[in-house]
Amino acid sequence: MAALQTELVDVTSQEVMLTFYRRLYPFKSIFAWINHQHTPARLFTHREFAFTIKNDVYLRYNSFNTVDEFKKNVCLLTPSRFEIGPVYTVRPKDRKTARKDAFKPVQRELVFDIDMTDYDPIRTCCSEAGICKRCWTFIAAAVRVLDTAIRDQFGYQHLLWVYSGRRGIHLWISDKEAMDLNDEQRKAVVNWLSVVQAGKESGKKVHVRSGSKPLPPSLRAALDELVDIFPDLILDDQDCFGSEKGYESLLDLIPDPKIVDGLRELWTSDPTSSSSDKWADLKNQIKKCYPQKDNPKRAILSASMEDIILQYTYPRLDAEVSKHRNHLLKAPFCVHPKTGRVCVPVDPSHIDEFDPSAVPTVGQLLRELDAIGSSNEHGAEHHSDWERTSLKPYVDMLDKHTQGLMNEVRREKREMDTSW
Amino acid sequence: MFKGAEQKPRNLQEHPQVAYYGTLQYPHRLNFYDKPPLFDVTVEEFETCALDRLRILAEIESSAARNRSWEETKSVTHTQCLKYLPLSNNSATKMDLNAQRRKDHLGHFVLRLAFSRSEELRRRFVKAESTLFRIRYENDDSMERQQFLDSRDFNWILVDKDEMSEYRKELSSVSENEKFFKVKWTRVPDLVEKRRVFLKGGWAYVPAREQASVVYQDFEVQLMGALEMTNRALPRLDEDNRLLPILDNLCKGFLSGVPSDWVASAPGKEGEITADMVDDIAKQHYPLCMKNLHQNLRKDHHLKHFERLTYGLFLKVLGLSIDEAITFWRKSFTGGPAETKFDKEHKYNIRHSYGLEGRRANYPAKSCQQLLVSDSASYGCPYRYFTPDNLQTALLSAYSSQGLKSSDIPEVMQTVRSKHFHVACTRVFEITHSQYNVKKGEGVGSGESVTHPNQYTAKSMEMEKAVKENLKGEMGMEID
């Protein structure tokens, strides 16, 4: 039924998008969130916006002085989506008046992008653009691990998680220190947090330790979390080692030929045994081959089992997005052009309950608007019709997040004032 | 050889003038260059100090371009330092420590003036200077190094006992039995990247053995900041045109990316062509197609695939050995978009074109015929693919220094219009080699016309060599 209804509204049509921007898009909230205060500051006025308009024309380096100008232009251009970039030294629209080397990005939220496609080599339920509740578990695990790690290790507090509208999730970190990071420091964060090196070759390998030395403490904490979900997600739900291709890639990760040969023999004769059985086989095989507990081989093998768990469950980041300040990222509350779903904020503490297919679509929202209808038709144009639709809880979530940010900015300002 | 001097900022503040002119002007061999030199110097000293330091920085840059290992770089730099800028430990009582450290101090600041003016110069200067600092830091006597570290506030916090025991488990997996320092993690991104620290709440717990990392990082950040400030202040310099020419001269060589321009480098063995010589050869002996590629490479620090292939094979036939070719390309890409990808991607292709990878074929350089049908303005024959306007401009800018006058242009353009591109190229050769008595119609020798870029270049170089040898013969032993 839901699928049928979505088809009724053509997401790509200009009219639909225009109505969406005029009546539903929470410009004020977005403004407050990127501006960190109520009066327009450099964080907003020197900020780049990039629009994708019809025929895939891409307009970069737009900037606006006020939120009204911002809204007016978005409605004028009715982009299918738009992206938020960095704060530059000069207003991006005036960049041609500045010397070439004087136009540089200076600040930007620290952003992360996790995309389901990076999990294609391991997930068995969907592939490419598809996503279901089952593969969302990967994302949920990634969110939990990253959210904890970033708060605890880097000490950042203002994290906004946003569903990307299809099969991924974005993270925007707005702490002052995070905004100020240079590219080198961003790269360091990414590498600190990356375990599975992304690449086209499917044999993504985990390189986090030297020899069989213990895991670094940051990963130890992540592993403790991931060990819990590994049996449910990888062994039962996804059944990653069920097929021949699946178990061969598992065997590739085991550094001991004796064990590999034993297991391959076992599994070739019974290729359909479940992943849990295979995982148990692996444990038994290790015990059988190296019965003494203090055998150094045992240490190597248990280290490699930990690495396997990391490889299958640890967050896979799209590193390029995070490394450079001038990378653009789709703004929250945009509509995904393929699915029609709105990119809504997600509460990381309830990430497991989040269902991507329950996210409102633009068609659904417009029908809700129609339903509340023409009762006050002759009033002035409504700027916050979203309050009366199912978009409301999500906008409230963003506003609450922004409130925390603003409180901190205000506190800082007060401290500066009194320091005289 | 290393320099040492840094007057401690603290001393300076406590007894400004006394400390400055006192015996402890530079108590440490290492110097963070917080304070500019305030003493009088002669213009000559100004220049020699800078030149000597430049030689060392040039060696460091070329070490990086030649992919020398850290140990090699260290020993090469060490040798250069002994020669041009010796800097002794405090224990070396026989040396005039003060003079050594003063020279180091002065040279550094003169080069700051010279290299602050563009982003690229600043970046390269910081890179070379911080490498020099690292080498000196590593070679320094551990006692003196500690004294130096104590003399400056690096704004790190020693992790106390309580905290040590709170995070005992985590810290011990980073490093056992060591003191730890706490700094904001943003100051040690290199350590964070390699997971060599423990991170908590934005603080990086750095083990004592990684302390140097913090020092280097500080040195770089501070120097970069200082250079940017110098850049802004430079236009307001009340200058009497004695110093500016020197500064211009200093940074010119640096810009062209060839250390030999900074300082004349040792010429290669007889007949051998080195990476450093390519610029000169390009200026005097290249046909227009190769000049065009060379200029684009210098301008963008990058060439696209077919451009690289065409130019790379040309250089191979010109006589660049594989090692020199890699050096040449690595240097040329420095600062360009593909700098970091060099080893991964381009090195293989260069080796491939030398027949050292893949099918190991010995590829010949592209001939005029191939360039004429390549259908590309970027690496094809410019006489064919440039628009007439662009061609005229390109010809004049490329060859006017070799005697091509605007009055020669109509003739060349006429042949281009009648589609005799190789005739046009040959004619340009004749005009630009008239100093060697090449007359119209003689072509590149006995009436031969240009058929291959390498033939053009080889003939041109031959002529120059013949003239030089004649000269030598005539003047006998008088010239050296």
Side-chain angles (χ1 to χ4, degrees):
Chain A
M1 184 64 185
L4 247 175
Q5 280 181 347
T6 18
E7 281 163 26
L8 296 178
V9 173
D10 178 10
V11 194
T12 54
S13 104
Q14 297 267 315
E15 270 162 72
V16 170
M17 290 314 292
L18 181 60
T19 320
F20 175 74
Y21 287 129
R22 277 173 64 179
R23 299 188 61 188
L24 290 168
Y25 193 89
F27 284 97
K28 286 228 167 74
S29 306
I30 291 289
F31 160 78
W33 166 63
I34 53 179
N35 190 50
H36 298 197
Q37 50 185 309
H38 291 295
T39 43
R42 277 171 165 257
L43 279 176
F44 181 75
T45 59
H46 288 50
R47 178 84 72 158
E48 172 180 3
F49 294 90
F51 298 116
T52 310
I53 56 175
K54 59 176 182 226
N55 300 332
D56 272 338
V57 175
Y58 196 51
L59 301 179
R60 283 199 61 183
Y61 301 119
N62 300 284
S63 65
F64 308 104
N65 290 328
T66 62
V67 61
D68 294 329
E69 190 190 343
F70 177 31
K71 179 169 181 177
K72 204 177 103 195
N73 274 278
V74 171
C75 292
L76 206 67
L77 292 162
T78 52
S80 57
R81 61 197 173 104
F82 60 90
E83 289 166 322
I84 300 179
V87 178
Y88 285 90
T89 41
V90 178
R91 285 169 214 265
K93 63 177 168 191
D94 297 338
R95 73 190 182 288
K96 293 211 170 114
T97 64
R99 269 185 305 119
K100 207 174 156 213
D101 55 347
F103 182 68
K104 280 185 299 203
V106 279
Q107 281 185 308
R108 196 239 194 302
E109 285 81 7
L110 175 59
V111 293
F112 292 92
D113 179 11
I114 305 172
D115 195 294
M116 218 48 237
T117 37
D118 287 324
Y119 290 83
D120 276 347
I122 48 173
R123 64 175 173 160
T124 56
C125 51
C126 316
S127 67
E128 298 293 314
I131 183 161
C132 64
K133 190 79 183 79
R134 283 167 62 205
C135 38
W136 185 258
T137 321
F138 281 112
I139 301 276
V143 168
R144 275 201 309 268
V145 168
L146 283 185
D147 197 73
T148 325
I150 289 170
R151 284 174 203 271
D152 177 67
Q153 291 153 19
F154 291 95
Y156 297 139
Q157 293 162 25
H158 303 285
L159 278 65
L160 182 73
W161 290 94
V162 181
Y163 172 53
S164 76
R166 188 156 68 178
R167 51 177 172 186
I169 197 158
H170 299 160
L171 169 61
W172 300 74
I173 305 177
S174 308
D175 291 68
K176 172 94 176 62
E177 294 98 76
M179 300 278 303
D180 289 339
L181 294 181
N182 61 29
D183 288 357
E184 188 196 358
Q185 291 160 339
R186 281 166 206 257
K187 189 163 139 257
V189 183
V190 172
N191 286 340
W192 171 272
L193 292 170
S194 299
V195 165
V196 185
Q197 297 304 326
K200 279 179 214 99
E201 67 286 8
S202 57
K204 297 179 179 186
K205 288 264 173 69
V206 174
H207 294 291
V208 285
R209 51 178 122 215
S210 41
S212 57
K213 269 180 64 176
L215 280 177
S218 59
L219 294 177
R220 170 59 50 194
L223 183 70
D224 290 343
E225 166 100 38
L226 295 169
V227 162
D228 290 341
I229 66 157
F230 182 78
D232 291 345
L233 175 64
I234 300 299
L235 301 182
D236 294 343
D237 195 27
Q238 295 281 338
D239 197 16
C240 284
F241 315 131
S243 66
E244 183 181 339
K245 191 164 155 266
Y247 74 67
E248 278 299 332
S249 38
L250 172 63
L251 292 178
D252 278 347
L253 300 172
I254 300 169
D256 190 306
K258 209 162 129 194
I259 303 226
V260 171
D261 292 343
L263 288 175
R264 186 172 285 129
E265 203 174 305
L266 194 65
W267 295 344
T268 332
S269 59
D270 179 18
T272 52
S273 69
S274 77
S275 293
S276 320
D277 293 343
K278 290 203 173 98
W279 190 248
D281 290 343
L282 168 62
K283 287 185 192 161
N284 291 333
Q285 195 77 9
I286 294 174
K287 280 192 204 127
K288 205 172 86 193
C289 291
Y290 305 106
Q292 302 92 344
K293 274 226 153 60
D294 50 352
N295 190 325
K297 291 256 186 190
R298 283 268 293 248
I300 296 175
L301 282 161
S302 67
S304 77
M305 281 175 72
E306 287 175 354
D307 289 354
I308 291 169
I309 295 180
L310 287 176
Q311 164 137 359
Y312 278 87
T313 52
Y314 192 87
R316 299 187 167 196
L317 298 171
D318 183 347
E320 292 313 310
V321 178
S322 316
K323 279 184 188 167
H324 302 287
R325 271 171 295 190
N326 57 2
H327 206 102
L328 296 147
L329 193 64
K330 190 155 47 123
F333 292 104
C334 277
V335 173
H336 193 287
K338 295 270 160 44
T339 61
R341 293 195 193 286
V342 180
C343 307
V344 294
V346 179
D347 180 356
S349 55
H350 295 100
I351 186 74
D352 290 307
E353 296 140 42
F354 183 82
D355 178 4
S357 60
V359 169
T361 64
V362 63
Q364 177 194 340
L365 291 170
L366 293 187
R367 275 193 306 281
E368 286 175 26
L369 275 187
D370 287 343
I372 53 175
S374 38
S375 52
N376 44 4
E377 187 63 41
H378 39 244
E381 187 170 299
H382 289 283
H383 287 285
S384 42
D385 276 341
W386 52 263
E387 286 203 13
R388 294 179 291 170
T389 67
S390 48
L391 207 54
K392 183 171 186 331
Y394 298 107
V395 180
D396 287 345
M397 204 190 296
L398 175 64
D399 286 342
K400 204 174 135 216
H401 171 83
T402 308
Q403 202 54 51
L405 205 53
M406 286 190 167
N407 287 343
E408 189 172 303
V409 172
R410 213 171 296 136
R411 196 162 47 238
E412 254 166 39
K413 271 196 174 167
R414 202 177 310 134
E415 270 163 25
M416 258 168 37
D417 286 347
T418 52
S419 66
W420 292 94
Chain B
M1 76 174 317
F2 304 74
K3 111 168 317 155
E6 155 146 57
Q7 66 270 40
K8 306 183 192 182
R10 272 185 214 162
N11 266 356
L12 200 62
Q13 275 149 19
E14 281 160 24
H15 333 271
Q17 292 300 305
V18 182
Y20 208 71
Y21 294 108
T23 47
L24 275 185
Q25 189 179 345
Y26 299 109
H28 307 289
R29 192 169 148 266
L30 294 168
N31 194 339
F32 242 69
Y33 312 105
D34 297 299
K35 297 280 166 190
L38 298 174
F39 40 83
D40 293 335
V41 288
T42 62
V43 173
E44 196 194 338
E45 198 183 0
F46 183 88
E47 189 170 6
T48 44
C49 281
L51 273 176
D52 283 346
R53 193 181 189 84
L54 202 50
R55 279 177 228 270
I56 294 166
L57 298 187
E59 200 53 50
I60 290 176
E61 262 216 337
S62 100
S63 292
R66 280 163 196 275
N67 213 13
R68 287 195 186 125
S69 73
W70 177 240
E71 287 307 317
E72 278 171 321
T73 309
K74 243 166 99 170
S75 79
V76 170
T77 316
H78 193 85
T79 326
Q80 290 292 95
C81 283
L82 279 178
K83 207 152 121 204
Y84 296 111
L85 189 59
L87 201 56
S88 311
N89 285 326
N90 287 347
S91 51
T93 44
K94 286 199 192 113
M95 302 287 172
D96 184 352
L97 295 180
N98 212 37
Q100 286 180 353
R101 294 173 185 186
R102 181 172 181 269
K103 185 178 176 192
D104 173 68
H105 187 203
L106 179 61
H108 172 86
F109 275 93
V110 174
L111 292 189
R112 268 197 196 183
L113 288 177
F115 296 146
S116 67
R117 52 191 66 186
S118 82
E119 175 82 39
E120 189 194 346
L121 281 174
R122 289 197 290 271
R123 197 174 44 80
R124 286 171 52 187
F125 180 65
V126 169
K127 205 168 161 196
E129 273 287 337
S130 60
T131 311
L132 180 62
F133 181 84
R134 258 183 86 173
I135 293 170
R136 289 174 170 174
Y137 185 93
E138 284 187 12
N139 286 354
D140 207 12
D141 174 79
S142 60
M143 277 276 290
E144 285 181 35
R145 183 164 59 202
Q146 195 53 48
Q147 283 168 10
F148 166 70
L149 292 180
D150 293 341
S151 74
R152 219 174 166 278
D153 185 8
F154 284 93
N155 203 10
W156 49 41
I157 305 165
L158 188 63
V159 178
D160 60 27
K161 271 210 189 96
D162 295 347
E163 230 177 336
M164 282 298 271
S165 56
E166 186 184 348
Y167 299 124
R168 195 175 44 81
K169 205 175 129 221
E170 288 89 344
L171 291 177
S172 67
S173 74
V174 174
S175 168
E176 310 248 18
N177 308 323
E178 240 184 310
K179 281 198 289 189
F180 275 84
F181 295 90
K182 221 162 63 159
V183 294
K184 277 279 171 204
W185 79 264
T186 45
R187 288 177 59 192
V188 284
D190 54 327
L191 297 181
V192 170
E193 190 166 343
K194 295 184 199 118
R195 296 209 181 85
R196 297 242 278 267
V197 292
F198 166 62
L199 214 54
K200 184 85 189 171
W203 292 95
Y205 291 68
V206 183
R209 83 189 125 91
E210 306 280 12
Q211 201 179 16
S213 212
V214 183
V215 179
Y216 304 150
Q217 186 78 18
D218 261 24
F219 183 86
E220 279 181 29
V221 169
Q222 189 165 315
L223 181 54
M224 189 48 102
L227 283 174
E228 275 160 18
M229 237 150 70
T230 312
N231 182 36
R232 281 197 290 275
L234 208 53
R236 274 173 280 150
L237 185 70
D238 184 17
E239 222 287 302
D240 55 3
N241 70 32
R242 286 176 310 164
L243 301 186
L244 279 184
I246 298 179
L247 295 178
D248 278 342
N249 214 15
L250 284 173
C251 78
K252 227 179 253 157
F254 202 79
L255 255 183
S256 71
V258 186
S260 60
D261 281 10
W262 301 15
V263 181
S265 74
K269 272 176 256 150
E270 189 63 31
E272 193 188 355
I273 291 175
T274 65
D276 302 343
M277 294 157 68
V278 173
D279 271 322
D280 266 350
I281 297 175
K283 213 179 289 166
Q284 296 180 30
H285 304 298
Y286 274 18
L288 191 59
C289 46
M290 295 302 146
K291 273 203 184 201
N292 179 35
L293 286 171
H294 188 77
Q295 276 165 6
N296 288 343
L297 177 62
R298 284 287 173 256
K299 191 172 81 221
D300 304 332
H301 303 286
H302 193 71
L303 284 182
K304 299 223 174 85
H305 177 77
F306 284 107
E307 301 163 19
R308 270 195 319 265
L309 188 68
T310 309
Y311 191 36
L313 290 172
F314 171 82
L315 288 174
K316 178 176 88 165
V317 177
L318 182 65
L320 226 56
S321 68
I322 175 69
D323 290 336
E324 290 298 327
I326 289 174
T327 307
F328 171 79
W329 287 102
R330 191 195 310 277
K331 266 188 204 166
S332 305
F333 277 24
T334 304
E339 179 179 1
T340 50
K341 286 189 294 194
F342 184 85
D343 277 328
K344 236 191 281 170
E345 294 180 8
H346 302 306
K347 204 167 147 187
Y348 178 89
N349 285 337
I350 297 166
R351 291 177 54 81
H352 193 272
S353 66
Y354 273 75
L356 296 167
E357 302 279 358
R359 58 185 276 223
R360 293 173 182 265
N362 188 11
Y363 300 95
K366 304 255 186 250
S367 67
C368 285
Q369 202 182 358
Q370 285 167 298
L371 295 177
L372 275 168
V373 296
S374 66
D375 204 20
S376 155
S378 62
Y379 61 91
C381 176
Y383 294 98
R384 170 155 190 192
Y385 294 108
F386 278 24
T387 63
D389 282 352
N390 287 348
L391 181 59
Q392 293 186 24
T393 325
L395 279 171
L396 280 175
S397 77
Y399 291 112
S400 54
S401 62
Q402 285 162 263
L404 184 84
K405 291 185 280 302
S406 22
S407 56
D408 298 321
I409 293 287
E411 186 192 347
V412 176
M413 293 311 291
Q414 182 55 42
T415 35
V416 169
R417 263 191 297 277
S418 53
K419 304 214 182 300
H420 297 305
F421 307 111
H422 63 285
V423 179
C425 190
T426 311
R427 183 65 196 130
V428 169
F429 183 94
E430 289 164 1
I431 295 167
T432 54
H433 291 75
S434 54
Q435 48 169 325
Y436 304 118
N437 288 324
V438 176
K439 300 205 179 57
K440 184 169 181 184
E442 283 186 4
V444 293
S446 28
E448 217 178 302
S449 59
V450 178
T451 54
H452 198 295
N454 282 109
Q455 166 216 28
Y456 183 112
T457 308
K459 291 284 181 190
S460 173
M461 288 171 74
E462 248 169 52
M463 284 180 188
E464 187 198 48
K465 204 172 153 200
V467 169
K468 268 193 190 153
E469 265 162 19
N470 268 344
L471 259 183
K472 240 188 226 170
E474 281 167 24
M475 314 268 292
M477 298 302 288
E478 276 166 46
I479 63 154
D480 186 319

